[in-house]
Amino acid sequence: MCGPPPTTTSTATAAPEQPPITPQLGDLAPDFIAETSDGEIRFHEWLGDSWGVLFSHPADFTPVCTTELGAVARLHDQFAARDTKVAAVSVDTAESHRAWSPDIAETQGAEVNFPLIADPDRRVATLYGMIHPRHDNTATVRSVFVIGPDKTIKLTLTYPASTGRHFGEILRVLDSLQLTAAHQLATPADWQPGQDVIITPGVSQEEAARRFPDHRVIKPYLRLTPQPARP
Ligand code: BEZ
């Protein structure tokens, strides 16, 4: 016998939504296989030994996204000079990405020259925590992940749907990350390529004298040196 339903004095509440799990700095970048505007991508295999930038946009055929993808297409040679492969992702289909691409070329002055990942089932978006339900329950936010040749996450950024990103800043971060990887150098606030860089604290003074003969010691913990040329 079932009996009457249990009485309750409070309205039913859903379990609190869990925040998206976004990979953090140092984590292994999740691998995936997906369709793109240019065919299938096996993400880690596609990255190879290169650096990578994976960035999400909310939706195809939207104004801010159109300008962003055009900006990245125009920077193709800059990313290539940094041995960096770029891919974009949204919850749209590959067919939609292909249909949208001519508009980007027409309005932004550059053909899309990188894969647009299709993610209609949100697998990639979920792996990377790109849907922030209290901002937008269905579309990806503007996430950026920089991935090193070791496939770990080197940078995360999250912008709201209404703010287009400054992709020159992503290039600047790549320059900084690559200085750290190659030379144990860091970059100061507002650094621009060509300006002096910082010798990281892990480098002894003896080693600094040997490797960076033109460096100057402002404080024992603040040592500056001219930026070395890219290898
Ligand atoms: C855009 O790309 O223009 C856009 C997309 C979603 C929300 C707001 C703006």
Side-chain angles (χ1 to χ4, degrees):
M1 219 230 16
C2 294
T7 55
T8 172
T9 52
S10 62
T11 51
T13 52
E17 253 179 89
Q18 295 302 308
I21 299 168
T22 302
Q24 298 185 336
L25 302 189
D27 288 350
L28 185 69
D31 194 16
F32 57 84
I33 301 172
E35 286 307 310
T36 81
S37 49
D38 307 328
E40 185 182 88
I41 191 169
R42 292 172 178 264
F43 189 54
H44 279 198
E45 197 179 307
W46 173 79
L47 283 170
D49 294 328
S50 298
W51 290 72
V53 174
L54 177 67
F55 71 104
S56 55
H57 61 276
D60 295 355
F61 298 101
T62 51
V64 178
C65 299
T66 300
T67 62
E68 283 197 327
L69 270 63
V72 173
R74 290 194 300 273
L75 291 173
H76 174 271
D77 292 353
Q78 296 287 333
F79 284 109
R82 291 159 177 80
D83 187 24
T84 300
K85 295 183 177 178
V86 180
V89 59
S90 75
V91 298
D92 300 285
T93 62
E95 193 182 1
S96 167
H97 288 334
R98 281 191 288 269
W100 179 36
S101 292
D103 288 3
I104 298 169
E106 180 192 327
T107 63
Q108 305 303 311
E111 298 265 353
V112 177
N113 42 33
F114 52 91
L116 305 185
I117 296 167
D119 194 31
D121 59 6
R122 306 181 186 192
R123 265 186 316 115
V124 177
T126 303
L127 281 173
Y128 280 85
M130 291 166 164
I131 294 184
H132 296 202
R134 279 169 292 283
H135 181 67
D136 186 321
N137 201 23
T138 53
T140 38
V141 293
R142 297 189 196 279
S143 301
V144 184
F145 294 89
V146 174
I147 299 161
D150 62 356
K151 310 286 185 298
T152 65
I153 304 282
K154 304 296 185 192
L155 169 99
T156 66
L157 275 180
T158 307
Y159 274 44
S162 51
T163 304
R165 287 156 287 195
H166 193 299
F167 287 92
E169 171 64 2
I170 308 303
L171 293 173
R172 195 186 75 93
V173 173
L174 278 164
D175 285 339
S176 175
L177 288 167
Q178 292 182 356
L179 280 167
T180 307
H183 301 290
Q184 290 176 280
L185 293 169
T187 53
D190 301 328
W191 175 81
Q192 291 295 330
Q195 295 177 344
D196 285 352
V197 295
I198 289 173
I199 301 170
T200 51
V203 179
S204 69
Q205 193 46 43
E206 188 185 21
E207 197 183 347
R210 185 172 53 77
R211 289 173 56 193
F212 309 109
D214 297 328
H215 82 277
R216 37 191 227 287
V217 179
I218 314 295
K219 293 279 181 191
Y221 57 84
L222 176 57
R223 300 170 294 175
L224 299 181
T225 194
Q227 178 189 346
R230 194 177 283 146

